[in-house]
Amino acid sequence: MDAGVVARVSRVTRVCARLHLVYTLSRMRPCSVRRFWVHPILRKRLQRGEYHLLVQELRLDDRLFQRYFRMSKEVLDELLGKVGPLITKVDTHLRMSIGPAERLAICLRYLATGDSYATIAFSYRVGRSTVAVIVKEVAGAIWTALVEECMPVPQVEDWRAIAAGFQERWEFPNCVGAIDGKHVVIQAPANAGSLYFNYKSTHSLVLLAVVDAEYLFRVVDVGGFGRSSDSGSLRNSAFGESLRDGSLQLPPETVIAGSERRGPLPHVFVGDEAFPLLDNLLRPFPGRHLTRERRLFNYRLSRARLVVECAFGILSTQWRMLRRVITTSPEVTELCVKAACVLHNFLRRKTIDMPSRTPIARSTDEVTPTLCDAPRMGSNNATRRSIQQRETFCSYFNEEGAVRWQANVV
């Protein structure tokens, strides 16, 4: 046999022998043995867990209970009645399930504090992975149980009621909502690149919201990439697509009382400079060197738009998760933010004693769904019609729509 062939066979034999040795040694390593089926500390959950001790004591003090759960005992019990059937688990012969009241308490505590899963797991004497599963499931259940009651898709009569609220409280006619975006700071997801990296040099998801005059969220869109601007988030959202194609079921153009000579004006949303100027979306006049009339218009628009900033402030003050860096996956973060928004409406309606929605007459005609998946949109260039409409609103606020104190502000 040729010497070269013998050398190659010898090298292959040595390599195979080494691989076999490595495999054999790996099989000889002791396998990790699970020490406990349930850790002894966790077995004392029913006797020493936070829900079974502290929470029961808090029920004796209304003020402390409110601070702990961000709601009263009566409201929490009502919420449990709505969400409980969706989060109840079945006991098995191996272990008892965690009850729906305790599962709801764990999720609400996470939303109210933003503490880590490990911190809540130690307090409630459950596993960290159990907390992760509970937060995801309960947050989704809260949204499912409350969205139709507390944040339904507005219809024509709902938009009219919102416009009446803005006219009464903020002296802005034909306004059906204030729109803005909020960056929810998250830990950078794996392999996400710069998708979530925003202009504040953090990673975030975008919460795009429309708020009425009572600081209630009427439309929310969660999940936009942090690198997108408010205008880009609107363009890529289902709400933005519906706004552009006219399928939001907004009321028809209306003549403002006392301003008949200006003709009918459309119902509009108000936003800041980050949003485009559209037929149904007003933004301030850009630039610094503006006429007094335009500065007055910008002031009146910003005064009405302030409700969405206040709503975001109320939301993040009540649910402190939004003031921390959220370390969950973007999917779970989206569920938690949506749950916080619908809980905000649920609690806010209790405060202002407002019905869940404006009663409307049932129609036999089939209604096309107003919010659907949105494709990529075009540019944000304003049309001549939208520019003229803004000028008309500007003239109105400087003449018949002026209020006595605006001259002292601008």
Side-chain angles (χ1 to χ4, degrees), residues 217-248:
F217 292 104
R218 291 306 185 122
V219 178
V220 295
D221 184 273
V222 189
F225 296 132
R227 72 174 185 179
S228 301
S229 63
D230 287 345
S231 176
S233 298
L234 175 66
R235 183 173 60 248
N236 297 325
S237 68
F239 172 77
E241 167 66 8
S242 299
L243 180 64
R244 286 179 179 271
D245 64 21
S247 61
L248 277 179

Side-chain angles (χ1 to χ4, degrees), residues 182 184 195-196 204-208 220-226 228 233 330-331 333-335 337-338:
K182 174 181 175 58
V184 179
L195 279 178
Y196 297 93
S204 64
L205 289 176
V206 177
L207 164 61
L208 186 71
V220 295
D221 184 273
V222 189
F225 296 132
S228 301
S233 298
E331 294 75 20
T333 302
E334 180 178 343
L335 288 174
V337 172
K338 289 164 65 176

Side-chain angles (χ1 to χ4, degrees), residues 53 82 128 141 176 203 213 292 297 301 306 313 322 362 366:
L53 285 182
K82 297 177 181 295
R128 181 187 177 280
V176 289
H203 293 81
R292 180 177 177 80
F297 168 82
L301 183 144
L306 191 62
L322 300 173
R362 296 292 181 181
E366 183 178 358

Side-chain angles (χ1 to χ4, degrees), residues 333-404:
T333 302
E334 180 178 343
L335 288 174
C336 291
V337 172
K338 289 164 65 176
C341 290
V342 77
L343 282 172
H344 168 91
N345 280 14
F346 178 70
L347 300 176
R348 181 85 185 146
R349 290 181 188 277
K350 302 293 182 184
T351 304
I352 62 180
D353 193 23
M354 183 178 180
S356 60
R357 71 176 303 158
T358 306
I360 58 175
R362 296 292 181 181
S363 173
T364 57
D365 298 333
E366 183 178 358
V367 178
T368 303
T370 59
L371 299 181
C372 55
D373 294 335
R376 300 288 297 182
M377 301 299 296
S379 65
N380 292 328
N381 296 333
T383 64
R384 291 183 179 180
R385 184 170 183 266
S386 58
I387 294 174
Q388 181 58 44
Q389 287 173 171
R390 182 169 63 177
E391 293 289 351
T392 303
F393 273 101
C394 179
S395 300
Y396 168 79
F397 287 129
N398 282 276
E399 297 178 17
E400 63 269 24
V403 293
R404 64 180 184 278

